[in-house]
């Protein structure tokens, strides 16, 4: 703004000066033209007069015109712009004056010579003066007095004529012409200077602006305006070197991907900006706040002890969990925070890595909380990083296995189907629990690729080895987010030839909590295809009746905790199981009981009316051998994990 003001001021000043100079030059030029034209007119007039006036040398000497001369003089006086003239003899003495009333009044020869005619006689050069006649009687506004020598044919001066020339019209004419010309010139110069001038200014302004932007981008995160990682590391390193007491916090939004996928990236960005504002509000001017990428932030609280840092972190947790209006949607997200007190002499990297370990501890313990780093957390993080590396490797090389746990009929205990359960071993060949690696795969965004591989592998195996039995496959919430689950299931069924009505997809209540229309649509389409939908782990969540009614589940899987409780709390758990079975009967939903480990449990559950039983009593999940190559599986999972 400041720049534009001064640029405009300078341009106006420059143009005003240019125009002022042009104005002066125009006046000078007009003056010169008026003088020159007056001389020309006076000389022309006198030449004409010499030709026309008979006996002019004599008239100059006597100053008394005869009748013929008087007539010519009258005509001459009305010729052109001449309105008066005087005649002088060869000595410069005035001999005749014409006046304005058109009457010639001979005055006789003057006694003394005038200086101007004397000079003209001496030099043979005319003398001219241009005068302002606005305040003089009987004079035009602008007139010239020209003394012109009268020469006889052999070049001798025989007198001088003083001619009064009215130059008012001439001056007006030239002034108008010159002004018009000057205006055109000025317009042209304005154009010539303005266009490149404006282009230059614009270029300068844009360069300055992009320099500023580049400077900003090199130091700050463009979305939230907080420091970027590089600038943070620069500033934080010098702080650490100063030896100031500080607490380092690593912050990570919980399930931010779900916000992005469900509400779109614009809403995700707006939410990140909101969170950065919350963080900024809880920082002091000396603190450092940075976005480390994605949904990760880092704060260094300066000159503060751990207790005060915890107070600030608590305020952040509370504010992030409070709903805000973002693009007409009420959004709230939880955040996990790891804190580490920086110990004297410790490097910045170490403090950051400790805070990261504390953050991982919070994530593993269920998120939406904070933790202060303790030495035991380092080991936890190391294990997690190891698991992450293994999971990425397994995803890339399809290094998983699907095991199949038998599902048996409640009455006859005949195998009616199998639940596909994913298996992953660590580097030493020891099994990693799906309860551990599935949530991590969700967090790392690998579950979609893994889930597809599972569906493809399980349908093909079952189509080959048990085509008339049910196949139950667990789905993760994340698999509904991309929106192409239905298409993929359809493809897998077509490719394998496995019957859709033998496939059962198991989902948990957490999927339905957001009440997303897209999820409802996908469930509907799957059901239309003949695929059954089961609610897994029923009884552990909200167990909402409205979900059962709304989504039309085909099966409820009673969580194994109720079956296990039959031993220690037989009455209570029996009541719960019977109620669920009754509910199923009323709503036309089939019931599976999970975690059946003993013959007694099996008997009781069968008596209570459960359709299907599942548990170690009937068999653990195990391999189903399929001879053909799995080369295409490898290709698929690796491509998806990209
Ligand atoms: P889930 O869907 O509830 O699967 C049943 C779990 O109970 C399996 O554990 C199974 O081995 C275990 N189980 C079966 N019978 C008994 C029993 O009699 N006693 C006891 N104590 N446990 C029994 P697993 O295989 O460790 O899987 C754990 C969870 O991991 C599964 O729980 C499921 O939520 C998830 N999971 C497994 N495979 C997949 C998969 O392919 N995709 C997804 N999204 N999740 C999977
Ligand atoms: Ca299951
Ligand atoms: Ca279950």
């Amino acid at each position: 703004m400041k720049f534009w003001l001064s640029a405009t001021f300078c341009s106006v000043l420059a143009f005003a000066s240019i125009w002022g100079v042009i104005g002066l030059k125009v006046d000078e030029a007009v003056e010169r033209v008026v003088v020159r034209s007056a001389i020309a007119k006076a000389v022309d007039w006198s030449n004409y007069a010499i030709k026309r006036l008979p006996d002019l040398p004599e008239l100059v000497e006597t100053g008394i015109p005869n009748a013929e001369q008087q007539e010519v003089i009258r005509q001459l006086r009305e010729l052109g712009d001449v309105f008066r003239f005087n005649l002088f003899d060869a000595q410069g003495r005035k001999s005749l004056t014409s006046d304005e009333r058109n009457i010639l009044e001979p005055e006789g020869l003057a006694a003394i010579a005038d200086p101007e005619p004397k000079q003209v006689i001496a030099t043979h050069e005319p003398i001219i003066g241009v005068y302002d006649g606005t305040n003089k009687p009987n004079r035009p506004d602008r007139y010239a007095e020209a003394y012109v020598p009268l020469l006889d044919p052999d070049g001798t001066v025989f007198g001088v004529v003083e001619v009064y020339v009215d130059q008012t019209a001439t001056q007006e004419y030239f002034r108008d012409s010159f002004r018009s010309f000057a205006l055109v010139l000025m317009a042209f110069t304005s154009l010539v200077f303005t266009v490149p001038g404006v282009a230059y200014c614009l270029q300068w302004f844009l360069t300055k602006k992009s320099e500023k932007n580049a400077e900003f981008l090199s130091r700050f995160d463009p979305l939230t305006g907080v420091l970027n990682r590089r600038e943070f590391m620069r500033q934080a390193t010098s702080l650490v070197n100063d030896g100031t007491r500080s607490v380092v916090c690593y912050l990570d939004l919980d399930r931010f991907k779900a916000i992005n996928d469900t509400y779109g990236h614009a809403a995700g960005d707006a939410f990140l900006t909101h969170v950065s504002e919350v963080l900024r509000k809880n920082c002091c001017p000396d603190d450092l706040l940075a976005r480390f990428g994605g949904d990760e932030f880092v704060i260094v609280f300066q000159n503060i002890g751990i207790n005060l840092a915890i107070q600030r972190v608590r305020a952040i947790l509370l504010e992030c969990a409070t709903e805000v209006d973002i693009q007409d949607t009420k959004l709230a997200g939880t955040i996990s925070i790891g804190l580490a007190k920086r110990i004297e002499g410790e490097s910045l990297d170490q403090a950051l890595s400790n805070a990261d370990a504390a953050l991982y501890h919070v994530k593993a313990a269920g998120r939406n909380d904070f933790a202060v780093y303790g030495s035991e957390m380092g080991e936890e993080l190391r294990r997690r990083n190891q698991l992450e590396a293994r999971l990425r490797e397994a995803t890339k090389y399809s290094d998983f296995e699907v095991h199949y746990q038998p599902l048996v009929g409640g009455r006859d205990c005949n195998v009616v189907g199998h639940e596909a359960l994913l298996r992953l071993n660590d580097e030493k060949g020891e099994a990693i629990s799906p309860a551990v690696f599935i949530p991590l795969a969700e967090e790392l965004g690998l579950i979609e690729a893994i889930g597809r591989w599972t569906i493809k592998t399980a349908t093909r195996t079952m189509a080959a080895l048990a085509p008339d039995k049910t196949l139950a496959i667990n789905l993760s919430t994340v698999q509904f987010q991309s929106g192409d689950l239905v298409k993929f299931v359809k493809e897998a069924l077509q490719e394998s030839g496995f019957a859709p009505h033998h496939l059962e997809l198991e989902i948990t209540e957490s999927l339905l909590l957001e009440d997303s229309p897209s999820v409802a649509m996908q469930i509907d389409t799957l059901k239309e295809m003949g695929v059954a939908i089961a609610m897994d782990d029923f009884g552990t969540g909200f167990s909402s009746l409205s979900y059962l009614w709304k989504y039309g589940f085909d099966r409820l899987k009673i969580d194994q905790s109720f079956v296990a409780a039959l031993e220690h709390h037989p009455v209570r758990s029996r009541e719960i199981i019977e109620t669920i079975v009754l509910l199923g009967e009323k709503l036309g939903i089939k019931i599976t009981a999970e975690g059946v480990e003993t013959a007694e449990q099996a008997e009781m559950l069968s008596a209570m009316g459960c359709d299907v039983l599942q548990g170690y009593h009937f068999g653990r999940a195990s391999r189903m051998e399929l001879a053909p190559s799995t080369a295409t599986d490898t290709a698929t999972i690796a491509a998806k994990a990209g």
Side-chain angles (χ1 to χ4, degrees), residues 474-604:
N474 293 286
L475 287 186
S476 168
T477 309
V478 184
Q479 287 175 264
F480 281 84
Q481 280 162 3
S482 68
D484 52 8
L485 174 72
V486 172
K487 187 172 141 262
F488 188 79
V489 170
K490 208 181 261 176
E491 276 170 17
L493 289 171
Q494 272 166 3
E495 274 171 29
S496 64
F498 192 68
H501 63 272
H502 280 155
L503 180 63
E504 216 166 79
L505 297 176
E506 299 188 4
I507 58 174
T508 54
E509 261 182 312
S510 62
L511 174 68
L512 311 172
L513 287 179
E514 274 161 12
D515 199 17
S516 143
S518 149
V519 169
M521 220 168 69
Q522 293 177 66
I523 290 178
D524 279 353
T525 321
L526 288 167
K527 281 172 68 73
E528 277 165 22
M529 282 161 54
V531 175
I533 305 292
M535 184 182 280
D536 208 356
D537 306 338
F538 188 71
T540 53
F542 290 93
S543 306
S544 157
L545 286 181
S546 81
Y547 290 150
L548 296 186
W549 176 77
K550 186 171 172 189
Y551 294 98
F553 283 96
D554 300 286
R555 181 176 296 280
L556 296 182
K557 295 189 78 172
I558 301 173
D559 190 69
Q560 47 184 276
S561 57
F562 297 103
V563 177
L566 278 173
E567 195 182 337
H568 301 292
H569 306 282
V571 181
R572 190 98 191 97
S573 44
R574 178 183 270 276
E575 272 172 7
I576 292 174
I577 294 169
E578 278 174 352
T579 309
I580 297 174
V581 171
L582 194 67
L583 189 72
E585 270 171 20
K586 294 280 177 211
L587 296 177
I589 303 175
K590 302 219 168 76
I591 305 292
T592 296
E594 288 188 284
V596 185
E597 292 186 353
T598 63
E600 294 79 51
Q601 286 172 341
E603 223 166 275
M604 274 156 66

Side-chain angles (χ1 to χ4, degrees), residues 133-376:
T134 38
N135 294 322
K136 293 181 190 166
N138 306 324
R139 292 284 181 275
D141 287 354
R142 197 78 178 146
Y143 69 99
E145 284 181 29
Y147 293 87
V148 181
L150 295 169
L151 302 168
D152 58 22
D154 62 5
T156 319
V157 179
F158 65 86
V160 173
V161 63
E162 181 190 6
V163 189
Y164 286 74
V165 187
D166 182 353
Q167 286 292 71
T168 314
T170 306
Q171 175 170 297
E172 294 286 287
Y173 171 77
F174 280 110
R175 186 172 283 163
D176 283 355
S177 311
F178 275 44
R179 280 196 181 150
S180 309
F181 175 71
L183 270 177
V184 171
L185 191 73
M186 278 192 279
F188 179 71
T189 46
S190 306
L191 210 69
V192 164
F193 284 109
T194 312
V195 173
V198 166
Y200 175 79
C201 290
L202 213 65
Q203 171 107 17
W204 185 85
F205 178 70
L206 290 177
T207 312
K208 281 278 156 217
K209 208 174 153 187
S210 61
E211 272 171 15
K212 251 187 174 171
N213 280 349
E215 210 262 334
F216 182 85
L217 284 179
S218 71
R219 298 177 55 211
F220 297 95
D221 170 48
L223 177 66
T224 59
V226 303
L227 299 179
N228 62 20
R229 184 193 278 261
R230 216 180 59 168
E231 181 65 11
F232 170 87
M233 292 308 278
R234 197 183 65 75
Q235 293 192 21
T237 308
S238 66
L239 275 183
V240 166
N241 292 342
D242 284 355
T244 6
R245 189 166 74 132
S246 54
V247 176
V248 179
C249 303
Y250 225 113
L251 306 98
D252 191 300
L253 284 175
D254 302 327
R255 301 198 173 87
F256 176 65
K257 191 174 181 306
I259 293 188
N260 252 345
D261 290 344
T262 315
Y263 303 104
H265 283 267
D269 283 356
F271 188 69
L272 276 176
T273 311
H274 158 72
V275 170
S276 72
E277 278 310 309
V278 170
L279 303 184
R280 211 195 300 263
K281 243 173 65 187
N282 286 285
C283 285
C284 290
D286 285 348
D287 298 341
L288 296 183
L289 165 60
R291 182 171 168 220
F292 264 31
D295 54 354
E296 278 179 25
F297 293 88
V298 170
I299 298 177
V300 177
F301 289 126
Q302 291 273 61
N303 294 313
I304 165 179
I306 194 73
N307 288 336
L308 206 57
I310 288 174
Q311 268 182 35
R312 300 233 196 121
V313 155
R314 283 214 164 97
I316 290 172
L317 281 167
L318 204 69
E319 275 187 68
C320 283
T322 309
E323 279 188 341
V324 278
D325 245 331
I326 283 172
Q327 298 181 347
D328 299 330
T329 312
K330 292 226 175 305
L331 277 186
T334 58
I335 192 164
S336 299
I337 309 174
L339 292 90
K341 212 165 74 174
R342 202 185 64 78
I343 303 158
E344 191 85 51
E346 193 177 60
S347 72
L348 173 68
D349 280 347
Q350 186 57 55
L352 276 171
S353 137
N354 291 351
D356 191 22
L359 170 67
Y360 170 66
H361 178 82
V362 177
K363 292 258 177 201
R367 304 179 163 97
N368 189 24
D369 204 351
F370 72 90
V372 180
Y373 174 76
S375 54
E376 74 288 354

Side-chain angles (χ1 to χ4, degrees), residues 35 38-40 42-43 114-131 144-149 160-165:
V35 168
I39 292 175
V43 170
D114 283 9
E116 289 90 349
K118 270 177 84 178
Q119 189 185 324
V120 171
I121 290 159
T123 61
H124 290 210
E125 288 297 323
I127 299 176
I128 185 132
V130 178
Y131 305 100
E145 284 181 29
Y147 293 87
V148 181
V160 173
V161 63
E162 181 190 6
V163 189
Y164 286 74
V165 187

